[in-house]
């Protein structure tokens, strides 16, 4: 068992709970007669548990004291496991409520704990999982004796993965209804050690760019109040000691398994102590709890490593591949697909699609995905969302005929949906205008000429599910691209009463989870790919339902280097939707070689987003070669360890990353020379992840090299001729 409890450790520490992973320890202390749940330690694994002296609770002048006279000073500096609002801890808190009398103050006392093997599911929410061999959990039950509010802090230790997950459940054990106005899922208090904070920011077509800034006094936060995790900020935050690089340095990371509004913040206080928190954004969040009712807050995945950013990356990749992603395609190679969006936009019909499929199947492509425009009156993006019946004008014989024809070519068929939306110009809206999220009497803000459906309503949710299921039952559809093309605004539900209107954002997300959960249960063979105007809802919550997510609408190979670097920082390559598209690129107008586009897309799920009947013959001829590269390398790419070698966003000239198999017998490094430079005839690449004591052969070269030479002395790669060029370097262990 990786969780141990010790009673009466010192005069102040009544109980100590120590969680150990292979390389880290996390320690909680139950402190003082008031039984505060204090945070004692998170870092390198400790063998000992005598830590009482690390808590700042001594009664010396000018230091916060725990006696009642100086209670607020104590609360304002004591490292809390789950800080509450309103009684004297003025730092960013984790929970606040509003009682019947309009009061907000809350304080939590330890009541009991329960330690067990395994991990419980979180009701209605995506969450990581693990059986009894993989993890053990502790539930710490705390209570505010004045309101009767109970809070259960759940920690699960994945000892072999160096990950601890956390979540929080709030139960109203009092006699009156109350509102929870904020409920975060995790908090980490510690001294500042010259930390930097790392986060991911972006916009449409420029998702997940890596940023790092020093942690200074005050607060730094990233957030979404857009109803989805968003293109703009990402539900991830890490702090690292200054000088941390890919291989060395301490990193603490938090990642939210949630797809809606979130906030993550790090605050450096007056005593140079930092607090890092993460949870559902409190803006427009107000959840009513009648006596006996409970609220389950989503999960945060937390880790600590001394092995730099690369160490963090590999911990998260392994964790998500083994403990979050599910379903038929969890460990499987995905079919190489061709999506018709950039190929045809709305201008397609059955004949055109079959023409493309015929050519595609000859080239080795395995699935045709019919994107937006196959339903209702959807001739452009101004109408028909909600009308999920096949447009027989475009598709005579319907989906069944199309699927059968595509199947006859030996290919699978996939389709696009945007189930959460409703166009004002749709039969659905004409029949049910009150099904859209809106503030009564106020004209709603349109985005892409559409509104969002009120998924907090059971009738709407059932209707949406049936519309999708009916389509999927009607033909052999083996893949769904689930899109979500606008963010929420004008929050109002015709169904929720005024004192529950603040539940809409979260109920909406729960509705999305329920729909995707039901769909993947009824159609377990489906490959689901989430999408949101590109990568606007790429988060661990969605990964629980779909093993892959469309990374970005920006398919330009050079822009993708940064997007995929930021995405791969925390997500396995097997999750990154990446396609080769046509040139000039539809977002940027940039022209890059077909070969480079292929190399860059290979490190994701791989597929095509172009009309194979129209591209230049020399590009088309390259497709079978790319297809065979996909089959040759995909197991390695999907399952291997990822290493970042050089970053174009840092050096502005070239990019290099690699994947090494778990046995260190094989590696594939991708090099992209973005801009050539005069007088620079070669780049020295310091490969990582190889075994220093083994000998390796580089495919296409005679000479063999030892792992330690390739990693420490480097490998000299001759510069490629021109800009936007790329090369794959395949390394295999030399057989004696
Ligand atoms: C979004 C997606 C695109 C495409 C269009 C269709 O923008 O990101 O890939 O599916 O919608 O309208």
């Amino acid at each position: 068992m990786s969780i141990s409890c010790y009673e009466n450790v010192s005069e102040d520490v009544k109980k100590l709970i120590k969680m150990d992973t292979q390389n880290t320890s996390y320690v909680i202390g139950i402190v003082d007669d008031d039984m505060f749940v204090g945070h004692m330690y998170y870092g390198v694994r400790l063998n000992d548990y005598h830590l009482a002296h690390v808590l700042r609770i001594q009664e010396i002048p000018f230091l916060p004291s725990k006696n009642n006279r100086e209670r607020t000073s104590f609360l304002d500096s004591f490292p809390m496991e789950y800080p509450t609002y309103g009684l004297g801890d003025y730092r960013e808190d984790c929970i606040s409520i509003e009682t019947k009398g309009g009061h907000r103050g809350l304080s939590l006392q330890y009541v009991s704990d329960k330690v067990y093997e395994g991990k419980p599911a979180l009701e209605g929410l995506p969450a990581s999982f693990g059986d009894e061999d993989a993890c053990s959990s502790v539930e710490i039950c705390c209570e505010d004796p004045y309101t009767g509010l109970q809070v259960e802090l759940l920690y699960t230790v994945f000892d072999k993965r160096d990950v601890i997950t956390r979540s929080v459940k709030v139960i109203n054990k009092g006699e009156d209804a109350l509102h929870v106005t904020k409920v975060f899922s995790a908090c980490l208090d510690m001294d500042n050690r010259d930390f930097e904070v790392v986060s991911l920011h972006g916009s449409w077509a420029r998702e997940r760019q890596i940023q790092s800034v020093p942690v200074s006094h005050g607060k730094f936060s990233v957030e979404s109040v857009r109803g989805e995790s968003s293109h703009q900020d990402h539900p991830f935050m890490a702090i690292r000691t200054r000088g941390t690089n890919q291989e060395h340095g301490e990193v603490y990371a938090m990642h939210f398994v949630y797809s809606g509004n979130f906030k993550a913040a790090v605050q450096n206080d007056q005593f140079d102590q930092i607090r890092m928190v993460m949870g559902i954004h409190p803006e427009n969040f107000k959840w009513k709890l009648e006596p006996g009712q409970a609220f389950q807050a989503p999960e945060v995945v937390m880790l600590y490593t001394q092995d730099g950013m690369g160490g963090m990356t590999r911990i998260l990749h392994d964790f998500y591949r083994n403990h979050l992603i599910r379903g038929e395609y969890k460990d499987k190679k995905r079919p190489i697909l061709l999506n018709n969006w950039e190929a045809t936009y709305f201008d397609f019909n059955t004949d055109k699609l079959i023409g493309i499929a015929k050519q595609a199947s000859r080239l080795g492509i395995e699935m045709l995905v019919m994107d937006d425009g196959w339903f209702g009156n959807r001739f452009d993006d101004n109408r028909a969302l909600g009308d999920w019946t096949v447009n027989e004008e475009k598709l005579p014989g319907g989906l069944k005929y199309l699927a059968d024809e595509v199947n006859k070519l030996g290919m699978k068929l996939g389709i696009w949906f945007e189930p959460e939306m409703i166009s004002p110009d749709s039969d659905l809206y004409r029949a049910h205008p009150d099904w859209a999220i809106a503030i009564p009497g106020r004209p709603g803000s349109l985005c892409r000429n559409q509104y969002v459906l009120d998924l907090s309503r059971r009738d709407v949710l059932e209707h949406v599910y049936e519309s999708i299921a009916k389509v999927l039952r009607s033909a052999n559809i083996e893949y769904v691209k689930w899109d979500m093309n606008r963010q929420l605004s004008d929050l109002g539900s015709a169904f929720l009463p005024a004192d529950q209107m603040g539940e809409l954002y979260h109920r909406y997300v729960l509705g999305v989870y329920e729909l995707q959960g039901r769909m993947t249960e009824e159609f377990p063979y489906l490959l689901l790919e989430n999408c949101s105007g590109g990568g606007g809802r790429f988060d661990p919550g969605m990964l629980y339902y779909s093993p892959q997510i469309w990374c970005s609408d920006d398919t330009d190979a050079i822009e993708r280097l940064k997007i995929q670097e930021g995405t791969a920082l925390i997500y396995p390559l097997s999750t990154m939707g990446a396609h080769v598209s046509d040139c000039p690129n539809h977002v940027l107008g940039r022209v890059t070689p077909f070969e480079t586009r292929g190399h860059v897309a290979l490190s994701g799920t791989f597929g095509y987003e172009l009309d194979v009947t129209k591209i230049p013959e020399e590009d088309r001829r390259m497709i079978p070669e790319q297809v065979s590269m996909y089959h040759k390398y995909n197991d390695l790419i999907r399952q291997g360890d990822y290493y970042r070698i050089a970053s174009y966003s840092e050096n502005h000239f070239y990019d290099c990353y690699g994947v090494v198999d778990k046995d260190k017998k094989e590696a594939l490094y991708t090099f992209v020379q973005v801009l050539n430079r005069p007088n620079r005839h070669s780049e020295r690449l310091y490969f990582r992840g190889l075994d220093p004591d083994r000998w390796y052969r580089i495919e296409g070269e005679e000479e063999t090299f030892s792992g330690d030479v390739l990693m420490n002395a480097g490998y000299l790669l001759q510069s490629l001729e021109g800009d936007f060029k790329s090369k794959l370097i395949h390394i295999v262990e030399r057989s004696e």
Side-chain angles (χ1 to χ4, degrees):
M1 180 79 84
S2 41
I3 303 175
S4 331
C5 298
Y6 307 90
E7 306 286 337
N8 296 316
V9 176
S10 72
E11 195 192 322
D12 289 310
V13 181
K14 311 289 184 225
K15 180 161 193 167
L16 188 142
I17 300 169
K18 182 166 182 277
M19 301 171 222
D20 295 312
T21 70
Q22 219 157 46
N23 300 297
T24 72
S25 291
Y26 189 99
V27 186
I28 293 172
I30 311 302
V31 171
D32 189 19
D33 296 335
D34 275 346
M35 305 297 266
F36 290 113
V37 185
H39 176 73
M40 299 182 72
Y41 176 79
Y42 190 25
V44 175
R45 184 177 168 128
L46 304 174
N47 293 323
D48 187 21
Y49 67 91
H50 290 94
L51 297 175
H53 64 285
V54 302
L55 282 172
R56 289 206 170 89
I57 46 177
Q58 306 94 321
E59 298 193 36
I60 354 171
F62 311 118
L63 271 183
S65 135
K66 68 187 163 73
N67 68 32
N68 245 332
R69 202 182 94 97
E70 302 296 344
R71 181 59 91 188
T72 64
S73 322
F74 168 72
L75 290 174
D76 202 24
S77 69
F78 182 70
M80 283 288 179
E81 219 23 65
Y82 196 66
T84 57
Y85 174 79
L87 299 183
D89 184 344
Y90 299 99
R91 296 167 288 176
E92 179 87 37
D93 56 88
C94 277
I95 181 165
S96 67
I97 57 166
E98 204 176 289
T99 63
K100 193 173 130 201
H103 302 114
R104 319 278 309 260
L106 185 69
S107 137
L108 295 174
Q109 291 187 346
Y110 165 90
V111 178
S112 63
D113 65 78
K114 196 164 92 186
V115 177
Y116 50 87
E117 309 274 13
K119 179 175 193 288
L122 302 186
E123 204 188 329
L125 287 170
S128 61
F129 49 81
D131 59 21
E132 287 159 13
D133 296 337
C135 57
S136 37
S137 302
V138 54
E139 272 170 38
I140 303 175
C141 176
C142 321
E143 197 170 60
D144 176 43
Y146 302 94
T147 56
L149 193 81
Q150 212 175 67
V151 174
E152 276 174 21
L153 307 176
L154 171 69
Y155 299 77
T156 299
V157 183
F158 289 82
D159 44 340
K160 297 202 180 62
R161 305 260 171 227
D162 282 331
V163 162
I164 296 177
T165 60
R166 296 176 62 168
S167 62
V168 172
K169 188 172 172 181
V170 183
I171 309 148
N172 181 6
K173 295 265 179 173
E175 283 164 12
D176 297 312
L178 55 77
H179 281 96
V180 179
T181 50
K182 179 179 187 182
V183 54
F184 277 177
S185 297
C187 173
L188 203 50
D189 277 1
M190 64 181 115
D191 289 349
N192 187 12
R193 298 208 297 273
D194 206 5
F195 284 122
E196 294 169 342
V197 53
V198 182
S199 59
L200 298 171
H201 68 97
S203 67
W204 173 77
R206 196 173 48 80
E207 294 87 342
R208 291 172 294 287
Q209 312 281 309
I210 301 171
Q211 168 177 280
S212 102
V213 290
V215 171
S216 48
H217 286 100
K219 259 181 230 174
F220 173 88
S221 64
V222 292
E223 61 180 29
S224 165
V225 288
R226 298 164 185 270
E228 64 167 354
S229 46
S230 88
H231 307 80
Q232 287 75 12
D233 282 354
H234 202 72
F236 161 81
M237 184 175 268
I239 51 171
R240 63 181 183 197
T241 44
R242 196 173 337 180
T244 293
N245 57 24
Q246 281 296 317
E247 287 164 311
H248 307 289
E250 293 182 85
V251 185
Y252 293 87
M254 284 188 185
H255 201 182
F256 204 21
V257 188
Y258 189 60
S259 313
N261 290 351
F262 74 88
K263 181 169 175 179
V266 58
Q267 177 176 23
N268 191 17
D269 75 3
Q270 56 183 328
F271 304 115
D272 239 350
Q273 302 180 123
I274 64 148
R275 171 170 285 175
M276 186 175 169
V277 290
M278 181 174 273
I280 293 180
H281 204 296
E283 186 80 41
N284 205 350
F285 173 86
K286 196 172 175 188
W287 197 277
K288 188 175 182 186
L289 287 183
E290 296 286 355
Q293 284 185 337
F295 179 85
Q296 176 65 59
E299 175 169 288
V300 166
V301 172
M302 197 172 67
L303 68 87
Y304 165 79
T305 179
Q306 285 187 304
D307 299 334
M309 300 307 281
M312 175 193 80
T313 293
R314 288 181 291 279
I315 291 172
L316 287 174
H317 285 197
D318 281 341
F319 186 67
Y320 292 143
R321 284 186 292 211
N322 291 286
H323 300 286
L324 186 70
I325 295 167
R326 304 171 303 158
E328 172 92 7
Y329 282 95
K330 179 178 189 291
D331 302 314
K332 262 190 15 198
K333 202 154 53 155
R334 322 280 158 76
I336 300 175
L337 66 81
L338 182 147
N339 179 304
N340 76 314
W341 177 240
E342 290 193 24
T344 65
Y345 293 101
F346 291 98
D347 182 18
F348 65 85
N349 56 30
T350 301
D351 285 348
K352 200 177 205 176
L353 291 177
I354 291 175
I356 292 175
K358 273 189 182 144
Q359 178 71 275
S361 73
R362 283 198 287 271
L363 297 168
I365 294 170
E366 300 159 312
M367 178 159 75
L368 175 76
V369 175
M370 178 172 59
D371 209 278
D372 194 355
W374 56 266
F375 52 91
N377 186 24
R378 185 83 169 167
F379 289 95
D380 58 31
D381 63 4
N382 286 315
R383 63 204 85 250
L385 292 171
D387 298 343
W388 299 109
T389 44
V390 180
N391 180 322
E392 295 255 354
E393 202 180 309
K394 285 187 184 182
L395 305 174
L399 290 173
K400 173 98 179 62
Y401 176 75
L402 179 66
D404 291 348
E405 289 303 301
V406 169
N407 290 165
K408 276 186 212 157
L409 296 170
M411 292 175 83
K412 297 176 190 293
L413 178 71
I415 60 169
W416 177 97
F417 270 111
E418 196 177 357
E420 300 159 58
M421 298 293 150
I422 181 165
S423 307
D425 180 3
S426 66
D427 293 341
L428 188 68
Y429 189 77
R430 282 182 280 276
H432 300 285
D434 62 329
W435 282 15
I437 287 178
I439 300 172
R442 179 185 284 274
S445 306
L446 282 162
C447 182
R448 215 191 188 206
N449 229 342
Q450 63 199 53
Y451 295 127
V452 183
L453 280 166
D454 179 1
L455 296 180
S456 73
R457 294 176 60 146
R458 187 52 37 199
D459 51 354
V460 176
L461 195 128
E462 291 303 330
H463 172 89
V464 171
Y465 185 72
E466 269 316 302
S467 328
I468 307 168
K470 216 164 122 191
V471 171
L472 296 181
R473 287 177 204 132
S474 74
N476 188 22
I477 295 161
E478 299 180 76
Y479 160 107
V480 163
K481 176 175 173 187
W482 181 302
D483 211 341
M484 192 269 194
N485 276 321
R486 69 154 291 179
Q487 302 179 327
L488 278 60
S489 66
D490 304 77
L491 265 275
S493 162
F495 160 76
L496 288 170
D499 66 347
Q500 285 185 272
M501 207 55 84
E503 299 179 11
L504 183 52
Y505 269 128
H506 182 61
R507 284 187 184 274
Y508 176 81
V509 179
L510 293 180
V512 174
Y513 291 153
E514 183 178 332
L515 287 171
Q516 296 205 354
R518 275 165 73 173
M519 188 178 89
T520 46
E521 233 165 74
E522 183 178 343
F523 308 97
Y525 53 84
L526 259 193
L527 173 56
L528 177 60
E529 175 154 2
N530 265 291
C531 172
S532 173
R537 203 165 55 182
F538 200 127
D539 58 60
M542 299 321 288
L543 270 192
Y544 183 72
Y545 301 96
S546 64
Q548 60 192 56
I549 304 177
W550 184 228
C551 235
S552 178
D553 279 345
D554 196 336
T555 50
D556 171 70
I558 303 306
E559 281 302 299
R560 274 287 179 131
L561 294 175
K562 293 184 193 166
I563 297 169
Q564 293 183 189
E565 177 183 3
T567 308
L569 182 72
I570 51 179
Y571 297 101
L573 304 189
S574 61
T575 66
M576 304 197 308
H579 299 165
V580 176
S581 65
D582 204 0
C583 270
N585 178 265
H586 292 197
V587 170
L588 290 178
R590 184 180 284 146
V591 177
T592 53
F594 200 76
E595 184 183 39
T596 304
R597 283 175 262 158
H599 288 167
V600 173
L602 260 191
S603 50
T605 55
F606 197 70
Y608 293 87
E609 187 109 1
L610 41 73
D611 185 343
V612 268
T613 65
K614 291 202 175 132
I615 56 172
E617 181 53 30
E618 59 190 283
D619 290 354
R620 193 167 32 243
R621 259 192 271 122
M622 236 183 264
I623 292 180
E625 202 184 304
Q626 291 180 337
V627 165
S628 63
M629 273 195 308
Y630 171 80
H631 291 301
K632 178 171 172 191
Y633 297 129
N634 187 256
D635 283 349
L636 171 62
I637 289 168
R638 250 182 24 257
Q639 299 161 354
D641 287 332
Y642 174 87
Y643 289 86
R644 169 66 39 190
I645 312 297
S647 162
Y648 157 58
S649 43
E650 284 170 15
N651 66 35
H652 309 298
F653 289 103
Y654 66 96
D655 210 57
C656 185
Y657 50 86
V659 185
V660 183
D661 84 309
K662 294 273 177 197
D663 297 332
K664 298 191 181 292
K665 288 186 169 157
E666 185 188 7
L668 180 72
Y669 297 95
T670 306
F671 172 82
V672 180
Q673 177 173 288
V674 178
L675 292 180
N676 203 359
R677 289 183 274 180
N679 307 323
R680 181 94 177 185
H681 304 297
S682 57
E683 292 301 344
R684 192 183 306 274
L685 303 174
Y686 296 92
F687 293 143
R688 293 190 180 116
L690 302 171
D691 181 341
D693 299 327
R694 286 193 227 176
W695 283 80
Y696 294 94
R697 196 170 50 76
I698 297 185
E699 198 180 315
E701 294 189 23
E702 291 297 317
E703 214 181 325
T704 55
F705 305 86
S706 69
D708 69 341
V709 162
L710 287 175
M711 293 193 291
N712 298 313
Y715 171 73
L716 222 45
L717 178 77
Q718 297 312 306
S719 291
L720 309 171
E721 193 65 22
D723 299 337
F724 309 143
K725 294 294 171 55
S726 63
K727 188 174 166 70
L728 295 183
I729 303 149
H730 184 217
I731 300 186
V732 279
E733 190 184 4
R734 187 181 71 184
S735 46
E736 293 308 327

PDB file of all heavy atoms in Angstrom, residues 650-661:
ATOM      1  N   GLU A 650      11.861  28.163 -30.000  1.00  0.00           N
ATOM      2  CA  GLU A 650      12.939  28.791 -29.225  1.00  0.00           C
ATOM      3  C   GLU A 650      14.100  29.244 -30.119  1.00  0.00           C
ATOM      4  O   GLU A 650      14.615  30.333 -29.956  1.00  0.00           O
ATOM      5  CB  GLU A 650      13.477  27.806 -28.174  1.00  0.00           C
ATOM      6  CG  GLU A 650      12.539  27.662 -26.990  1.00  0.00           C
ATOM      7  CD  GLU A 650      12.923  26.518 -26.063  1.00  0.00           C
ATOM      8  OE1 GLU A 650      14.053  26.004 -26.161  1.00  0.00           O
ATOM      9  OE2 GLU A 650      12.066  26.132 -25.236  1.00  0.00           O
ATOM     10  N   ASN A 651      14.499  28.382 -31.080  1.00  0.00           N
ATOM     11  CA  ASN A 651      15.697  28.747 -31.864  1.00  0.00           C
ATOM     12  C   ASN A 651      15.366  29.441 -33.197  1.00  0.00           C
ATOM     13  O   ASN A 651      16.246  29.968 -33.856  1.00  0.00           O
ATOM     14  CB  ASN A 651      16.582  27.506 -32.101  1.00  0.00           C
ATOM     15  CG  ASN A 651      15.896  26.461 -32.989  1.00  0.00           C
ATOM     16  OD1 ASN A 651      15.150  26.777 -33.912  1.00  0.00           O
ATOM     17  ND2 ASN A 651      16.152  25.195 -32.717  1.00  0.00           N
ATOM     18  N   HIS A 652      14.104  29.427 -33.584  1.00  0.00           N
ATOM     19  CA  HIS A 652      13.601  30.099 -34.797  1.00  0.00           C
ATOM     20  C   HIS A 652      14.141  29.544 -36.121  1.00  0.00           C
ATOM     21  O   HIS A 652      13.931  30.144 -37.162  1.00  0.00           O
ATOM     22  CB  HIS A 652      13.828  31.609 -34.746  1.00  0.00           C
ATOM     23  CG  HIS A 652      13.309  32.199 -33.473  1.00  0.00           C
ATOM     24  ND1 HIS A 652      11.998  32.153 -33.115  1.00  0.00           N
ATOM     25  CD2 HIS A 652      13.959  32.801 -32.446  1.00  0.00           C
ATOM     26  CE1 HIS A 652      11.845  32.717 -31.929  1.00  0.00           C
ATOM     27  NE2 HIS A 652      13.013  33.111 -31.492  1.00  0.00           N
ATOM     28  N   PHE A 653      14.858  28.426 -36.108  1.00  0.00           N
ATOM     29  CA  PHE A 653      15.377  27.872 -37.356  1.00  0.00           C
ATOM     30  C   PHE A 653      14.958  26.429 -37.620  1.00  0.00           C
ATOM     31  O   PHE A 653      14.642  26.088 -38.735  1.00  0.00           O
ATOM     32  CB  PHE A 653      16.911  27.968 -37.396  1.00  0.00           C
ATOM     33  CG  PHE A 653      17.392  29.366 -37.551  1.00  0.00           C
ATOM     34  CD1 PHE A 653      17.898  30.065 -36.472  1.00  0.00           C
ATOM     35  CD2 PHE A 653      17.312  29.998 -38.782  1.00  0.00           C
ATOM     36  CE1 PHE A 653      18.317  31.379 -36.612  1.00  0.00           C
ATOM     37  CE2 PHE A 653      17.740  31.313 -38.933  1.00  0.00           C
ATOM     38  CZ  PHE A 653      18.238  32.007 -37.844  1.00  0.00           C
ATOM     39  N   TYR A 654      14.997  25.615 -36.587  1.00  0.00           N
ATOM     40  CA  TYR A 654      14.673  24.210 -36.846  1.00  0.00           C
ATOM     41  C   TYR A 654      14.043  23.542 -35.641  1.00  0.00           C
ATOM     42  O   TYR A 654      14.136  24.019 -34.516  1.00  0.00           O
ATOM     43  CB  TYR A 654      15.921  23.440 -37.297  1.00  0.00           C
ATOM     44  CG  TYR A 654      16.984  23.311 -36.234  1.00  0.00           C
ATOM     45  CD1 TYR A 654      17.066  22.171 -35.443  1.00  0.00           C
ATOM     46  CD2 TYR A 654      17.905  24.333 -36.021  1.00  0.00           C
ATOM     47  CE1 TYR A 654      18.047  22.050 -34.467  1.00  0.00           C
ATOM     48  CE2 TYR A 654      18.879  24.222 -35.044  1.00  0.00           C
ATOM     49  CZ  TYR A 654      18.943  23.083 -34.269  1.00  0.00           C
ATOM     50  OH  TYR A 654      19.898  22.979 -33.300  1.00  0.00           O
ATOM     51  N   ASP A 655      13.408  22.418 -35.910  1.00  0.00           N
ATOM     52  CA  ASP A 655      12.677  21.683 -34.895  1.00  0.00           C
ATOM     53  C   ASP A 655      13.153  20.241 -34.916  1.00  0.00           C
ATOM     54  O   ASP A 655      13.423  19.699 -35.995  1.00  0.00           O
ATOM     55  CB  ASP A 655      11.190  21.712 -35.273  1.00  0.00           C
ATOM     56  CG  ASP A 655      10.287  21.664 -34.066  1.00  0.00           C
ATOM     57  OD1 ASP A 655      10.418  22.539 -33.191  1.00  0.00           O
ATOM     58  OD2 ASP A 655       9.448  20.746 -33.987  1.00  0.00           O
ATOM     59  N   CYS A 656      13.206  19.614 -33.763  1.00  0.00           N
ATOM     60  CA  CYS A 656      13.555  18.196 -33.769  1.00  0.00           C
ATOM     61  C   CYS A 656      12.977  17.520 -32.533  1.00  0.00           C
ATOM     62  O   CYS A 656      13.083  18.034 -31.420  1.00  0.00           O
ATOM     63  CB  CYS A 656      15.067  18.031 -33.801  1.00  0.00           C
ATOM     64  SG  CYS A 656      15.553  16.302 -33.957  1.00  0.00           S
ATOM     65  N   TYR A 657      12.306  16.420 -32.749  1.00  0.00           N
ATOM     66  CA  TYR A 657      11.758  15.637 -31.636  1.00  0.00           C
ATOM     67  C   TYR A 657      11.852  14.169 -32.019  1.00  0.00           C
ATOM     68  O   TYR A 657      12.012  13.830 -33.197  1.00  0.00           O
ATOM     69  CB  TYR A 657      10.308  16.028 -31.341  1.00  0.00           C
ATOM     70  CG  TYR A 657       9.420  16.049 -32.566  1.00  0.00           C
ATOM     71  CD1 TYR A 657       8.787  14.893 -33.017  1.00  0.00           C
ATOM     72  CD2 TYR A 657       9.259  17.236 -33.285  1.00  0.00           C
ATOM     73  CE1 TYR A 657       7.996  14.918 -34.162  1.00  0.00           C
ATOM     74  CE2 TYR A 657       8.471  17.266 -34.425  1.00  0.00           C
ATOM     75  CZ  TYR A 657       7.844  16.114 -34.859  1.00  0.00           C
ATOM     76  OH  TYR A 657       7.077  16.135 -35.984  1.00  0.00           O
ATOM     77  N   GLY A 658      11.769  13.321 -31.008  1.00  0.00           N
ATOM     78  CA  GLY A 658      11.923  11.898 -31.306  1.00  0.00           C
ATOM     79  C   GLY A 658      11.055  11.031 -30.424  1.00  0.00           C
ATOM     80  O   GLY A 658      10.556  11.474 -29.388  1.00  0.00           O
ATOM     81  N   VAL A 659      10.880   9.806 -30.877  1.00  0.00           N
ATOM     82  CA  VAL A 659      10.148   8.821 -30.081  1.00  0.00           C
ATOM     83  C   VAL A 659      11.036   7.581 -29.985  1.00  0.00           C
ATOM     84  O   VAL A 659      11.544   7.100 -30.999  1.00  0.00           O
ATOM     85  CB  VAL A 659       8.813   8.448 -30.748  1.00  0.00           C
ATOM     86  CG1 VAL A 659       8.018   7.529 -29.843  1.00  0.00           C
ATOM     87  CG2 VAL A 659       8.005   9.684 -31.079  1.00  0.00           C
ATOM     88  N   VAL A 660      11.218   7.099 -28.770  1.00  0.00           N
ATOM     89  CA  VAL A 660      12.082   5.940 -28.544  1.00  0.00           C
ATOM     90  C   VAL A 660      11.221   4.832 -27.954  1.00  0.00           C
ATOM     91  O   VAL A 660      10.433   5.090 -27.042  1.00  0.00           O
ATOM     92  CB  VAL A 660      13.207   6.303 -27.542  1.00  0.00           C
ATOM     93  CG1 VAL A 660      14.154   5.121 -27.351  1.00  0.00           C
ATOM     94  CG2 VAL A 660      13.971   7.534 -28.018  1.00  0.00           C
ATOM     95  N   ASP A 661      11.381   3.620 -28.452  1.00  0.00           N
ATOM     96  CA  ASP A 661      10.518   2.558 -27.920  1.00  0.00           C
ATOM     97  C   ASP A 661      10.953   2.196 -26.497  1.00  0.00           C
ATOM     98  O   ASP A 661      12.072   2.469 -26.092  1.00  0.00           O
ATOM     99  CB  ASP A 661      10.494   1.349 -28.864  1.00  0.00           C
ATOM    100  CG  ASP A 661      11.653   0.414 -28.633  1.00  0.00           C
ATOM    101  OD1 ASP A 661      12.788   0.899 -28.603  1.00  0.00           O
ATOM    102  OD2 ASP A 661      11.426  -0.794 -28.465  1.00  0.00           O
TER     103      ASP A 661
END
